[in-house]
């Protein structure tokens, strides 16, 4: 397949993905905006006023980066897992499999679709946060790099979940029982300094903790971890998950008899 | 002549141990209209699934226009289009988007994709429905949409897995006409069907697969010529008082009702000889049909032999 043909195929997958989540915007874009809006009102505004400062910032300011990152993670993941599983379920994945689109273009297209939704929701949440806090981005480059790499990681993870899923229950187990606890324990609402030493150690093995803190560093200029560790972890996760996805596509795992 | 498809010793054993293909070999020439027939579970769809790379084979080789599907993945995929047995497009997308998306997967620039989309949706009578969601289409329209989708990159080989299943007679005949036209224009077609009349009408060559083995692989005319006898139903415009007298060796006549009778012609006899005798007796035949489909008889006898 020629390079320009590959680009057209990639573009086609991305357009299809963006069209899919835009068509059902009431299910894909509105609910996260409402949920995060409630976090801002209840935790940030009502409870946050009593908490005062966290990590040297007003509590509302402190939680904004974490909440943006939470929405990016959840939506990147859920877009790819639900879309690719729907393709499998409706057998429309066969359209792709009989076509000459290389595996890496299929994967990159779905990941780009996941990133598009994650970033779209992230933008909505960021815009909403402006009503509650003064947002100044200290390190724009780090902020953008972290959010892009994080959305890639969770789009790839969503793809793996979709490949192994056999029914609709299988696509909600990981987000409910793995992703949500990791996000909530990943320092979105508190600084790790508040935890006893043992739980600080436990937090250190949660990869989302590094992503949230690196993003917070990008926006506020303050973090519980060294931002370079976060980049290293993100890069390793991208490499491992991408290789795993390509291996599964090459070996037809979950998609061919 | 170029070989469109060459299958050698193709085997497929599913994860549950079911051996769907037991080493079949087959060749389809370029420009052919080829029928792959067989009872349910015989291995037709598995064969098509392996050719179209939707099913992983357990052994053997498949070549499309001389290129191995394992080593020339992208080139071979450009050469064929597949119309599966089951509807396999998103039920929530618009008709036009489904075809345009498929064109995009094949790297067609947008302008060309639009032209092809319009061309095939018009040819298949779906242009008026282009902005409708696919779930609102009737069963026949969905099948035609799958054909349009498979043709959008204008493949040299079109593989159809029971394309007319559940389609009404009028639509089936219009699809036959369409498929014949694209075959006349040089597209090689491989067809699986349960309608043996369809295979007899359309196809030049035929293979019958049963329990994972090819039991017949021949020319359609040669196969039909193997029939020992044929049974015709003849209808007369006027009432026939008594059963007509046809004293010919290997010809048997049986009255059905006052206007119809059954004629069995065997041993190289021609039905024309029967017409001549009936004419002498003043019996005018208004219509004639085969009692059973000729291919159906052969199909059943070969399956029984197997």
């Amino acid at each position: 397949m020629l390079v320009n043909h590959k680009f057209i195929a990639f573009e086609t997958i991305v357009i299809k993905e963006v069209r899919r989540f835009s068509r059902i915007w009431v299910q894909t874009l509105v609910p996260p905006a409402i949920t995060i809006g409630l976090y801002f009102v209840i935790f940030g505004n009502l409870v946050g006023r009593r908490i005062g400062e966290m990590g040297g910032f007003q509590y509302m300011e402190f939680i904004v980066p974490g909440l943006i990152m939470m929405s990016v993670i959840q939506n990147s993941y859920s877009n790819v897992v639900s879309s690719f599983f729907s393709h499998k379920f409706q057998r429309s994945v066969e359209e792709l499999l009989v076509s000459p689109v290389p595996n890496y273009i299929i994967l990159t297209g779905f990941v780009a679709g996941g990133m598009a939704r994650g970033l779209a929701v992230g933008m909505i949440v960021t815009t909403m946060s402006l009503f509650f806090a003064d947002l100044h981005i200290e390190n724009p480059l780090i902020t953008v790099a972290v959010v892009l790499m994080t959305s890639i990681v969770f789009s790839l993870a969503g793809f793996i979940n979709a490949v192994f899923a056999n029914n609709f229950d299988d696509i909600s187990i990981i987000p409910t029982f793995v992703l949500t606890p990791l996000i909530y324990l990943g320092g979105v609402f508190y600084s790790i300094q508040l935890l006893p030493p043992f739980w600080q150690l436990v937090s250190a093995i949660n990869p989302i903790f590094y992503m949230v803190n690196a993003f917070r560093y990008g926006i506020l200029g303050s973090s519980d971890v060294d931002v370079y560790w976060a980049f290293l972890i993100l890069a390793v996760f991208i490499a491992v998950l991408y290789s795993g996805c390509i291996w599964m596509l090459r070996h037809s795992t979950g998609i061919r008899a | 002549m170029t070989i469109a498809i060459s299958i050698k010793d193709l085997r497929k054993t599913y994860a549950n141990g079911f051996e769907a293909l037991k080493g079949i070999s087959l060749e389809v020439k370029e420009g052919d209209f080829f029928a792959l027939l067989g009872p349910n579970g015989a291995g037709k769809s598995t064969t098509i699934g392996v050719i179209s790379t939707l099913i992983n084979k357990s052994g053997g080789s498949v070549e499309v226009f001389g290129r191995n599907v394992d080593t020339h993945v992208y080139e071979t995929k450009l050469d064929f289009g597949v119309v599966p047995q089951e509807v396999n497009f998103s039920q929530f997308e618009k008709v036009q988007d489904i075809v345009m998306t498929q064109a995009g997967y094949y790297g067609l620039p947008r302008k060309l994709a639009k032209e092809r989309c319009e061309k095939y949706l018009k040819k298949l009578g779906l242009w008026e429905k282009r902005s409708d969601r696919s779930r609102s289409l009737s069963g026949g329209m969905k099948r035609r949409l799958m054909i349009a989708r498979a043709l959008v990159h204008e493949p040299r080989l079109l593989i159809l897995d029971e394309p007319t299943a559940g389609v009404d007679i009028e639509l089936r005949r219009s699809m036959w006409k369409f498929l014949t036209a694209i075959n006349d224009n040089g597209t090689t077609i491989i067809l699986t069907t349960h309608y043996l009349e369809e295979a007899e009408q359309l196809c030049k060559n035929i293979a019958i697969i049963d329990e994972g083995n090819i039991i017949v692989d021949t020319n359609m005319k040669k196969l039909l010529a193997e029939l020992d006898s044929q049974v015709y139903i003849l209808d007369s415009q006027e009432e026939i008082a008594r059963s007509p007298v046809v004293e010919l060796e290997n010809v048997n006549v049986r009255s059905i009702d006052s206007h119809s009778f059954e004629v069995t012609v065997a041993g190289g006899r021609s039905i024309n000889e029967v017409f001549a005798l009936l004419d002498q007796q003043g019996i005018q035949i208004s219509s004639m049909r085969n009692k059973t489909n000729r291919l159906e008889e052969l199909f059943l006898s070969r399956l029984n032999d197997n």
Side-chain angles (χ1 to χ4, degrees):
Chain A
M1 209 177 184
L2 299 171
V3 175
N4 62 327
H5 289 177
K6 285 178 186 170
F7 180 75
I8 291 171
F10 168 75
E11 188 187 35
T12 303
I13 299 171
V14 177
I15 290 172
K16 185 176 169 159
E17 287 303 291
V18 172
R19 209 167 45 207
R20 190 193 76 89
F21 77 71
S22 306
R23 188 176 60 228
I24 49 171
W25 60 275
V26 179
Q27 294 170 45
T28 54
L29 302 178
V30 175
I34 292 174
T35 308
I36 301 293
L38 290 170
Y39 279 121
F40 282 136
V41 172
I42 297 165
F43 290 102
N45 206 358
L46 302 177
V47 180
R49 257 184 284 171
R50 288 174 181 272
I51 293 172
E53 286 196 350
M54 178 79 68
F57 297 92
Q58 285 297 310
Y59 189 64
M60 178 65 93
E61 285 177 321
F62 182 84
I63 65 167
V64 164
L67 290 175
I68 295 170
M69 194 52 99
M70 182 164 96
S71 60
V72 171
I73 289 172
Q74 288 176 330
N75 284 280
S76 300
Y77 188 95
S78 62
N79 193 71
V80 181
V81 72
S82 59
S83 175
F84 196 73
F85 180 70
S86 295
H87 275 74
K88 275 175 58 178
F89 186 76
Q90 296 186 76
R91 297 181 60 185
S92 55
V93 71
E94 290 176 1
E95 293 175 335
L96 265 171
L97 299 179
V98 297
S99 74
V101 185
N103 289 335
Y104 74 91
I105 296 286
I106 295 176
L107 179 62
T108 313
F110 275 93
V111 168
M115 289 172 72
R117 176 165 153 199
L119 297 177
V121 174
M123 288 299 291
I124 292 169
V125 172
T126 306
T127 308
M128 285 172 65
S129 72
L130 297 175
F131 292 100
F132 299 93
D134 284 333
L135 209 59
H136 299 288
I137 299 175
E138 290 286 327
N139 300 295
L141 210 63
I142 290 177
T143 306
V144 172
V146 171
V147 78
L148 287 177
M149 289 175 83
T150 304
S151 64
I152 292 172
V153 167
F154 287 95
S155 296
L156 289 166
F159 191 88
I160 293 174
N161 188 168
V163 164
F164 284 107
N166 291 316
N167 53 52
F168 282 98
D169 289 341
D170 293 344
I171 64 170
S172 61
I173 288 172
I174 301 289
T176 308
F177 296 106
V178 180
L179 219 50
T180 305
L182 285 179
I183 292 169
Y184 277 70
L185 298 170
V188 172
F189 297 103
Y190 56 84
S191 166
I192 194 172
Q193 311 299 335
L194 298 178
L195 299 174
F198 173 76
W199 289 107
Q200 286 191 23
L201 208 66
V202 172
S203 294
I205 58 168
N206 177 0
I208 293 177
F209 167 73
Y210 293 89
M211 298 168 196
V212 168
N213 270 280
F215 190 65
R216 184 172 286 135
Y217 178 83
I219 292 181
L220 302 178
S222 164
S223 167
D224 285 341
V225 295
D226 189 336
V227 75
Y228 295 107
W229 267 111
F231 277 114
L232 182 67
I233 287 169
L234 280 164
V236 169
F237 265 90
I238 289 172
V240 170
L241 293 174
Y242 184 84
S243 306
C245 289
I246 290 292
W247 187 90
M248 287 190 299
L249 283 170
R250 194 171 293 154
H251 290 83
S252 312
T253 311
I255 47 173
R256 284 186 176 98
Chain B
M1 179 171 272
T2 312
I3 303 296
I5 287 261
S6 172
I7 295 171
K8 286 185 186 132
D9 195 29
L10 190 63
R11 295 172 185 279
K12 174 64 189 176
T13 306
Y14 285 100
N16 62 6
F18 177 66
E19 200 178 358
L21 298 176
K22 298 170 181 168
I24 65 164
S25 295
L26 207 59
E27 273 191 356
V28 178
K29 292 188 177 71
E30 185 173 20
D32 200 355
F33 205 137
F34 190 91
L36 183 60
L37 306 181
N40 286 332
K44 304 184 297 290
S45 295
T46 300
T47 307
I48 281 181
V50 172
I51 296 170
S52 57
T53 72
L54 288 173
I55 294 174
N56 292 324
K57 62 185 174 3
S58 307
S61 68
V62 179
E63 286 184 2
V64 177
F65 293 104
R67 286 187 287 230
N68 191 299
V69 293
D70 297 326
T71 53
H72 295 80
V73 181
Y74 306 125
E75 296 90 336
T76 51
K77 284 181 170 184
L78 285 172
D79 277 336
F80 63 76
V82 185
V83 180
Q85 200 177 120
E86 310 268 341
V87 170
N88 72 343
F89 47 72
S90 168
Q91 300 288 310
F92 305 103
E93 283 189 73
K94 291 178 185 168
V95 168
Q96 189 168 232
D97 290 342
I98 288 168
V99 182
M100 287 292 288
T101 297
Q102 193 71 7
Y105 292 159
Y106 284 86
L108 264 64
R110 197 156 176 80
K111 189 170 174 277
L112 178 63
K114 270 188 152 179
E115 285 169 15
R116 296 264 184 91
C117 176
E118 185 175 345
K119 175 181 166 184
Y120 287 106
L121 287 181
K122 278 183 175 168
K123 278 190 173 184
L124 285 150
L126 290 169
W127 184 242
E128 302 303 316
K129 299 277 181 185
R130 64 188 180 279
S131 300
D132 291 5
R133 302 254 177 238
S134 64
R135 66 170 180 267
S136 69
L137 300 181
S138 67
M141 285 175 179
K142 284 178 180 170
R143 294 212 169 267
R144 280 183 282 158
L145 174 55
M146 290 200 291
I147 295 175
R149 187 186 59 178
L151 286 171
V152 75
H153 65 288
E154 299 198 334
R156 296 163 75 190
L157 168 68
L158 182 64
I159 303 168
L160 301 133
D161 196 0
E162 297 185 25
T164 56
V167 168
D168 66 51
I169 294 167
E170 191 188 350
L171 186 58
R172 193 181 309 158
R173 286 184 190 268
S174 76
M175 278 167 79
W176 289 359
K177 207 172 153 189
F178 175 78
L179 293 174
T180 305
I182 61 166
N183 179 244
D184 290 344
N185 285 335
T187 307
T188 310
I189 298 180
I190 297 178
L191 171 88
T192 78
T193 180
H194 273 118
Y195 301 110
L196 300 181
E197 179 200 359
E198 183 168 277
E200 190 180 333
Q201 285 267 346
L202 298 174
C203 300
K204 298 167 192 163
N205 291 293
I206 180 172
I208 298 177
I209 186 168
D210 188 31
E211 296 177 352
N213 294 303
I214 299 285
I215 56 170
V216 172
D217 181 8
T218 186
N219 180 281
M220 183 69 81
K221 280 183 185 159
K222 269 190 199 165
L223 182 70
L224 292 174
E226 288 177 22
L227 269 177
D228 288 335
S229 66
Q230 291 196 59
V231 185
Y232 301 95
I233 305 291
L234 305 185
D235 300 310
S236 165
Q237 278 175 334
E238 290 152 17
E239 196 170 324
I240 307 163
R242 58 185 180 84
S243 189
V245 180
V246 180
E247 290 179 338
L248 287 171
E249 197 182 345
N250 296 327
V251 174
N252 185 35
V253 177
R254 185 177 69 84
S255 180
I256 298 172
D257 56 38
S258 58
H259 285 82
S260 308
F261 50 95
E262 185 182 297
V263 180
T264 305
V265 181
R269 284 278 178 199
S270 165
I271 188 74
N272 287 334
E273 295 176 78
V274 179
F275 279 128
L277 284 174
L278 293 175
D279 195 40
Q280 284 170 17
Q281 293 167 53
I283 300 171
Q284 296 300 312
I285 301 302
S286 59
S287 69
M288 178 188 87
R289 63 188 183 278
N290 277 89
K291 186 181 179 185
T292 53
N293 179 269
R294 297 183 299 164
L295 186 57
E296 195 171 301
E297 285 177 36
L298 279 163
F299 179 76
L300 290 172
S301 85
R302 292 304 173 98
L303 288 184
N304 287 335
D305 292 346
N306 191 45

